[in-house]
Amino acid sequence: QVQLVESGGGLVQPGGSLRLSCAASGSIFSIFVMGWYRQAPGKQRELVASITGGGRTNYADSVKGRFTISRDNAKNTVTLQMNSLKPEDTAVYYCNAHFANEYWGQGTQVTVSS
């Protein structure tokens, strides 16, 4: 069993930055592929970025060059640094852990608006 707790969401103006963090507990963190997903109102949940235990990353085309995912296996945390935010980035962001099973955090709201 894995518990995931996100933090760092909020309201930011277009062009601004936010940093999301996810703290994991309950299992061997380094074996999990960690990811950030988002879901906007009326839309399906989509992958934003993912990172393997060894640090290999993958990004959605819409966030490449603006978002950076990283992890600290010693601290059981994964972080999403979001820069140059756009109104279309507005969504609930979810932390995800995947290894055989999938685990989700409760989500954190990110709103990009002037």
Side-chain angles (χ1 to χ4, degrees), residues 2-69:
V2 176
Q3 293 81 45
L4 303 173
V5 179
E6 302 105 334
S7 61
L11 172 65
V12 65
Q13 292 186 342
S17 298
L18 279 176
R19 186 180 180 90
L20 304 183
S21 295
C22 174
S25 62
S27 191
I28 304 172
F29 179 75
S30 62
I31 68 174
F32 287 88
V33 176
M34 300 299 299
W36 286 96
Y37 288 71
R38 67 187 181 187
Q39 187 166 20
K43 295 188 177 181
Q44 289 189 330
R45 191 173 296 190
E46 63 175 358
L47 175 68
V48 176
S50 64
I51 184 168
T52 67
R56 187 169 66 231
T57 59
N58 178 53
Y59 294 93
D61 288 343
S62 60
V63 306
K64 283 181 180 177
R66 301 189 297 123
F67 291 11
T68 302
I69 189 171

